[in-house]
Amino acid sequence: MRAPLSWLREYVDLPAGVTGREVATKLIAAGLEVETVDQLGAGLTGPLVVGRVLAVEELTEFKKPIRYCQVDVGDANGTGEPQNIVCGATNFAVGDKVVVVLPGAVLPGNFAISARRTYGKLSEGMICSAAELGMGDDHDGIIVLPPEYEPGTDAVELLELRDEVLDIAVTPDRGYCLSMRGVARETATAYGLPLRDPALLDVTAPGEYGPAVDVVDTHGCDRFTARAVTGVRPEARSPIWLQRRLQKAGMRSISLAVDVTNYVMLELGQPLHAYDRGRIEGPIGVRRAEPGEKIVTLDGVTRALDPQDLVITDDSGPIGLAGVMGGAHTEISDAHDALVDPVSGQAEGTRDIVVEAAHFDPVTVARTARRHKLSSEASRRFERGVDPQAGPAAAQRAADLLVLLAGGTAEAGVTEVHGATAPRTVTLPADLPDCVAGVAYGRESVVRRLQQVGCDVSGTDELTVTVPSWRPDLTDPNDLAEEVIRLEGYENLPSTLPRPPAGRGLTEAQRLHRRVGRALAGAGYVEALNYPFLGDAAFDRLGLPADDARRRVVTLLNPISDEEPALRTTLLPGLLGALRRNDGRGSQGAQGGIALFETGLVFRPGGDEPAAVRLPVDARPSAEEIAAQDAALPAQPLRAAAVLAGAREQHGWWGAGRPATWADAVEAARVVAREAGVEPEVVADRHEPWHPGRCAALYVEVAGERTLLGHAGELHPRVTKAFQVPARTAAMELDLDVLRRASPGAVPAPRVSTYPVATQDVALVVPEAVPAVAVEAALRSGAGDLLESLRLFDVFTGEQLGAGRKSLAYALRFRAPDRTLTAEEASAARDAAVAAAVTATGAELRA
Amino acid sequence: MSAPNKSYDPVEVEALKPEAIERAQREALTAIAEAADLDALREVKAAHAGDRSPLALANREIGALPPHAKADAGKRVGAARGAVNKALGARQQVLEAERDERVLVEEAVDVTLPYDRLPAGARHPLTTLMERIEDVFVAMGYEVAEGPEVETEWFNFDALNIGPDHPARTTADTFFVADGSRSDAEGAEGSGLVLRTHTSPVQARALLGRELPVYAICPGRVYRTDELDATHTPVFHQVELIAVDEGLTMADLKGTLDHMVQALFGAGMRTRLRPSYFPFTEPSAEMDMVCYVCRGASVGDPERPCRTCSSEGWIELGGCGMVNPRVLTACGIDPERYSGFAFGFGIERMLMFRHNVEDMRDMVEGDVRFTRPFGMEI
């Protein structure tokens, strides 16, 4: 809502020196979001006067028509002689009144005017267009004024060029502030001044002879006022003051009848519609549209109607979308754009007008506006709630203005259709605002503030509050408490701290999540937060088979991109995208590699989730109902994933670097698992998108069950190519929910023996296919309790071993808790370990 | 060597003559003093204090002396050997010190050489900023509540007093999950699921799932249908807070906000509330904080413009208010007895003004050059 300060002053006697910014500050404190205060005419200095065109000489030697004019500007030029002015517009004639800016003046935009030669003539000033005066962007040539103004009259004053306009973003609860009446009310309250309510008019009582109206759908339309104004002059134009107010409020001047309806809407907040009575056939009706019906709206669009659309009808069918937009057929036409009557040759504009001031159901209007993607000034107001009592006053005001400005006659008959509506009352304890705010306002202040809002208040400890008709948002006790508190000033609220009960800190899951992030960052990975959107192309790039469970996705109805309509089932595509971006930008520096990680949810629908039902909101849902809500959701496990490529260690003056490999990815997985106190079991696996020979599956034990934690290794060469990331890019992805459940909890403290250690090395030769983890497990089991630690320190293949065989060299450390081991004891333990490995894996002890 | 002399009178033993011992000592001391390095000193030691050295040989001859002469000769030889050993020890120390000095100098390196062998990791500043905010409230006794990102419409809207016809419940603002079983337009919004548009559904879940009183903070990722540009992103992060207890007031809300901005931005910070409208709070307010850079000094002072607050003096934080009693009712809480407050704000926005991030895309694209400097905590 754009509210000109000059217009506000018509309803509130603001102190003379008050500026728009000061009013804005007060209104912001009262809860209106004043976004800007436009300074109209800032930097404008005259002389800017009314001129009368005395003579026009057409200059034809230029590319476009140029006029050399003599203009009477009265005594404004100090001489009383005509002013010679060159003008590029042609929409005026000799005798017209125009707006002339004289040398010495400055127009908005710091445009200084001086006498200068142009098109071969000396131009002593300029004839102005609306745009040049900052009145809007209407480029239809220069302004032609109504004839009644004397040459030399100050046009700055006449055109109300200097003003301040408050641009207010109106929140959904304050529909009444989509009117000058509402903004004025808040302004009056903020300044403690009386309001001259523009809706307080002498309204003609309803009678039988008004326009015939038949409201069929009283739910969609609970109030309908119709009255007629006859004999208006089609050639009558809106006066300057009316045009200017519309312009300042952000609307264009169209025709007098339309301007009047818009003006009254801006003034009182009641959308009006004006019909050409000659084009209405039979009574006006209000009903839902019938299947197959269509209407051409004022914007020229043919719209197929939905049976839920509320329409205004006549005998011919729909003539308007109720509360949204009128139909083209019954549109008012003025003399300028009316068809020429083929018989008389006369331009026939609208002479008889029916004014509609109705109250429509907000939800119906909102749905229709949404359905037809047609948001209008009217629908915006109806959606937020229009004062249902404002119709008669608005219709009266429109009729009065039409009579005044277009010479019509308001017909005595006024049609008034309305259901039985009683004012809404809300009861609340008188101290509710005090309790909500934590401030002792006292009953007296509470009652006074509610009265300022427009409420009638009765009662002592329990207040019965009748809310004003223009505040449909005030339905609950807390709504009224807010009114009191905001008018008392949010800025006056004290600052106190509640005392919550002692908390338990973060949950174990939350702490684990944080530790995982820290551990990966500590290991050199940089966190990236990627969008979870993807499409089939990502799964194809990952090389997932057609029946892979990860292809079963949650799909969005309205994705940002049709290419990526689904939610991720794995974190890898997002990370690989970020890896490619970093690689493409050279973000890693000259030699470095890139290592990224992410923790976040993936979305894994089972495919058989029931639809979520909308529960009532008037009571707590049952445990079963809540469970049903959760059952409708896809599984959303928390994952951790990492990708890395290029150098894991850079080369430099210290020596060679080391490229990132599958082993780094597996180690990243171990780093994560370690944060939960878990050492996962590593098993070779074949699983897309990993390299089939370089993919590890990691398992953990959850409640006694061997459970898949995730995968790690080098990516398949086709995958790195498809994602355009470096060859040999490695990746891992783990389920943190599984990991948390695998966590053994409290660590039992180890007993640390201070007796000497006995170290024994063994080298075992096994077939290539035997995994190291199997050899290690066998060694451990055979070594017994004396084994303190075991470490694989070398893997060797070579001719002397024979093809397809490898040698694994282990360092075994033995120690007893209570004595120094003898050499025989250590050797025996080692031999037992080797024997177990031989039995389990076919290993041979290497000489 | 002479055999032990037990049976006859003392004879002259050349090596034990005082002059001989003196000479041996003198020669030893000279050699020690002249030893230039530890290797030379080792040779000197072998020659003058070793088993074959003159003084060692002389010592062995003592046994050949008659008993009355032994004490005298032993004293002389012992004194000489003591002097030589002392000199050796002293010289050893001197030469070792010289050696240490020289060698450690030779081992000197250029300690200014860069060492970037291992990459530096970092956590995303949005993550760490959320954690920092969590920690402020956890320290006050709040608990951190989390919830699903694909959420039911009932939790995301209805339970929060956002009715079926609220403008937010359209595809213009909200991502709707398509109903898998029906692909036609008819089944369009039939799944009843959305990507949560705020973390407020977690508030509702906290109220339903926890015992009263509830003091919870709900951080997380949320979604709205904005295109990515310098100031918008369809995927962003919020922190919301909810407190429901007996007797909570707007003053408590104000105090909690004041405490938070002081904890995050330093002493002397404060907030301002402006009346506003949200369906799930009543009364509702927009919350601003004093600009932590200019502290309001830039207002009306064109000489000292403030980029952070555009010389407004205040920075918009987010929305807040008293939990709408209708929300309490929907969660089965008696609004006659309990009241609560809630607030929420965007983490991207706070990161932007707290760390002068100019483009939203920097927080989205995962460029390591952006994230690395933020390190482990923020």
Side-chain angles (χ1 to χ4, degrees), chain B residues 12 31-32 40 42 64 85 101 173 208 213 247-248 251 259 264 268 275 277 367 370 376:
Chain B
E12 283 288 298
I32 289 167
R42 203 173 303 119
N85 282 334
E101 183 74 6
D173 289 307
L208 285 170
L248 291 181
H259 176 78
L264 292 176
Y277 172 78
D367 195 314
F370 174 79
M376 287 289 192

Side-chain angles (χ1 to χ4, degrees), chain A residues 23 154 196 237 248 323 364 385 454 502 505 512 665-666 694 709 711 775:
Chain A
V23 175
D154 178 18
R196 277 188 295 278
R237 307 304 308 266
K248 289 175 186 177
T364 301
L512 174 63
V666 178
R694 297 184 172 184
L709 177 63
H711 288 87
V775 178

Side-chain angles (χ1 to χ4, degrees), chain A residues 356-584:
Chain A
E356 160 206 307
H359 185 256
F360 300 113
D361 171 47
V363 171
T364 301
V365 172
R367 288 183 183 169
T368 293
R370 205 178 292 168
R371 191 176 295 123
H372 296 283
K373 297 189 168 54
L374 184 61
S375 179
S376 65
E377 293 282 344
S379 70
R380 281 177 56 223
R381 285 172 171 81
F382 280 119
E383 283 178 37
R384 287 169 171 76
V386 163
D387 182 354
Q389 307 293 340
Q396 181 72 44
R397 179 78 164 130
D400 290 349
L401 285 170
L402 286 171
V403 169
L404 178 72
L405 302 174
T409 305
E411 287 200 348
V414 174
T415 302
E416 185 76 52
V417 180
H418 62 89
T421 53
R424 189 205 316 273
T425 61
V426 179
T427 59
L428 75 160
D431 66 351
L432 181 72
D434 299 25
C435 293
V436 171
V439 177
Y441 298 124
R443 182 186 174 282
E444 201 175 309
S445 296
V446 169
V447 171
R448 182 171 59 88
R449 291 304 187 183
L450 290 175
Q451 285 168 340
Q452 283 178 336
V453 170
C455 298
D456 286 331
V457 186
S458 64
T460 48
D461 290 348
E462 186 85 0
L463 300 180
T464 300
V465 180
T466 305
V467 305
S469 57
W470 59 86
R471 293 299 302 271
D473 60 305
L474 300 180
T475 59
D476 293 12
N478 264 41
D479 298 333
L480 297 173
E482 178 181 70
E483 294 299 307
V484 172
I485 298 165
R486 79 176 172 91
L487 294 178
E488 289 288 325
Y490 278 15
E491 68 275 19
N492 296 321
L493 287 169
S495 186
T496 57
L497 272 179
R499 293 178 178 276
R504 287 163 293 192
L506 298 179
T507 64
E508 178 49 34
Q510 289 159 353
R511 284 202 302 272
L512 174 63
H513 191 177
R514 285 191 181 191
R515 284 200 304 277
V516 164
R518 286 210 190 94
L520 285 171
Y525 293 82
V526 178
E527 186 174 19
L529 300 173
N530 299 296
Y531 284 179
F533 307 123
L534 43 66
D536 282 338
F539 298 132
D540 294 342
R541 283 197 288 269
L542 289 175
L544 302 191
D547 60 349
D548 193 291
R550 286 167 288 177
R551 283 187 183 266
R552 194 160 62 228
V553 291
V554 172
T555 306
L556 298 178
L557 195 65
N558 51 330
I560 290 282
S561 157
D562 289 336
E563 304 295 304
E564 299 187 321
L567 298 183
R568 65 187 179 192
T569 53
T570 156
L571 299 179
L572 293 180
L575 278 172
L576 291 171
L579 179 65
R580 188 188 65 237
R581 252 190 317 278
N582 276 285
D583 187 46

